Protein backbone atom coordinates (compact mmCIF):
# COMPACT_ATOMS: atom_id res chain seq x y z
CA UNK A 1 0.00 0.00 0.00
CA UNK A 2 1.66 3.18 -1.12
CA UNK A 3 -0.84 5.70 0.18
CA UNK A 4 -1.74 4.67 3.75
CA UNK A 5 -3.58 7.90 4.50
CA UNK A 6 -6.14 7.47 1.73
CA UNK A 7 -9.36 5.93 2.91
CA UNK A 8 -11.66 4.36 0.33
CA UNK A 9 -15.34 4.94 1.03
CA UNK A 10 -16.11 1.21 1.36
CA UNK A 11 -14.03 1.08 4.58
CA UNK A 12 -16.67 3.03 6.40
CA UNK A 13 -17.46 6.57 7.39
CA UNK A 14 -15.19 9.49 6.66
CA UNK A 15 -11.96 9.82 8.61
CA UNK A 16 -12.48 10.75 12.25
CA UNK A 17 -10.40 13.56 13.70
CA UNK A 18 -7.55 12.44 15.92
CA UNK A 19 -8.34 12.73 19.60
CA UNK A 20 -7.63 10.95 22.84
CA UNK A 21 -10.68 8.75 22.26
CA UNK A 22 -10.05 7.84 18.61
CA UNK A 23 -7.26 5.26 18.50
CA UNK A 24 -5.82 3.51 15.45
CA UNK A 25 -7.14 -0.02 15.06
CA UNK A 26 -6.62 -2.98 12.73
CA UNK A 27 -8.74 -2.98 9.59
CA UNK A 28 -9.97 -6.60 9.65
CA UNK A 29 -12.54 -6.31 12.49
CA UNK A 30 -13.93 -3.05 11.08
CA UNK A 31 -14.10 -4.43 7.54
CA UNK A 32 -15.85 -7.57 8.83
CA UNK A 33 -18.38 -5.50 10.76
CA UNK A 34 -19.01 -3.16 7.82
CA UNK A 35 -19.56 -6.02 5.39
CA UNK A 36 -22.11 -7.62 7.73
CA UNK A 37 -23.73 -4.25 8.46
CA UNK A 38 -24.03 -3.47 4.74
CA UNK A 39 -25.88 -6.76 4.17
CA UNK A 40 -28.31 -5.95 6.99
CA UNK A 41 -28.67 -2.22 6.18
CA UNK A 42 -27.13 -1.21 9.53
CA UNK A 43 -24.82 1.70 10.32
CA UNK A 44 -21.18 1.36 9.30
CA UNK A 45 -18.23 1.79 11.66
CA UNK A 46 -15.57 4.37 10.97
CA UNK A 47 -11.97 3.28 10.47
CA UNK A 48 -8.93 5.18 11.69
CA UNK A 49 -5.89 3.88 9.82
CA UNK A 50 -2.67 3.22 11.65
CA UNK A 51 -0.19 5.94 10.94
CA UNK A 52 3.50 5.28 10.84
CA UNK A 53 3.47 1.65 9.80
CA UNK A 54 6.18 0.59 7.37
CA UNK A 55 5.19 -0.75 3.96
CA UNK A 56 7.84 -2.08 1.55
CA UNK A 57 7.22 -3.30 -2.01
CA UNK A 58 9.84 -5.20 -4.00
CA UNK A 59 10.13 -3.84 -7.56
CA UNK A 60 11.98 -6.98 -8.80
CA UNK A 61 14.93 -4.98 -10.14
CA UNK A 62 16.98 -4.85 -6.95
CA UNK A 63 15.11 -1.85 -5.60
CA UNK A 64 12.01 -1.33 -3.49
CA UNK A 65 9.53 1.40 -2.61
CA UNK A 66 8.81 2.01 1.05
CA UNK A 67 6.56 4.40 2.89
CA UNK A 68 6.14 5.33 6.52
CA UNK A 69 4.56 8.40 8.18
CA UNK A 70 3.58 9.68 4.71
CA UNK A 71 7.18 9.77 3.47
CA UNK A 72 8.06 7.67 0.43
CA UNK A 73 11.51 6.12 0.04
CA UNK A 74 12.70 4.30 -3.07
CA UNK A 75 15.89 2.56 -4.13
CA UNK A 76 18.42 -0.02 -3.03
CA UNK A 77 18.34 1.10 0.61
CA UNK A 78 14.62 0.29 0.82
CA UNK A 79 15.34 -3.16 -0.70
CA UNK A 80 18.15 -3.73 1.79
CA UNK A 81 15.75 -2.95 4.66
CA UNK A 82 13.08 -5.24 3.20
CA UNK A 83 15.56 -8.12 2.86
CA UNK A 84 16.84 -7.58 6.39
CA UNK A 85 13.32 -7.69 7.86
CA UNK A 86 12.31 -10.77 5.83
CA UNK A 87 15.50 -12.67 6.70
CA UNK A 88 15.09 -11.85 10.39
CA UNK A 89 11.52 -13.17 10.33
CA UNK A 90 12.54 -16.32 8.47
CA UNK A 91 15.38 -16.94 10.92
CA UNK A 92 12.97 -16.56 13.84
CA UNK A 93 10.51 -19.14 12.48
CA UNK A 94 12.96 -21.83 11.30
Amino acid sequence: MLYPREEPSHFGASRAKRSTIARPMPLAPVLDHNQRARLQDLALCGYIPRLGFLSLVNLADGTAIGTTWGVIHAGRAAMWLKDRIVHALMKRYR
Side-chain angles (χ1 to χ4, degrees):
M1 176 185 255
L2 294 177
Y3 306 102
R5 294 182 183 209
E6 286 186 359
E7 184 178 339
S9 61
H10 64 273
F11 285 162
S14 63
R15 177 184 303 246
K17 293 191 180 209
R18 302 280 292 172
S19 69
T20 55
I21 297 172
R23 295 187 341 228
M25 57 192 304
L27 175 61
V30 177
L31 188 57
D32 178 58
H33 174 272
N34 286 345
Q35 287 175 338
R36 293 173 192 275
R38 178 70 72 182
L39 292 173
Q40 300 172 4
D41 291 329
L42 299 175
L44 302 177
C45 288
Y47 171 67
I48 301 169
R50 291 181 179 175
L51 299 177
F53 70 91
L54 176 64
S55 177
L56 294 164
V57 178
N58 184 348
L59 297 179
D61 64 353
T63 63
I65 294 177
T67 182
T68 185
W69 291 103
V71 178
I72 298 174
H73 305 278
R76 295 183 62 81
M79 187 64 192
W80 175 84
L81 180 59
K82 180 174 177 35
D83 279 343
R84 185 175 171 110
I85 292 169
V86 168
H87 283 108
L89 288 172
M90 294 302 290
K91 187 177 180 180
R92 181 186 296 178
Y93 292 108
R94 283 187 195 171

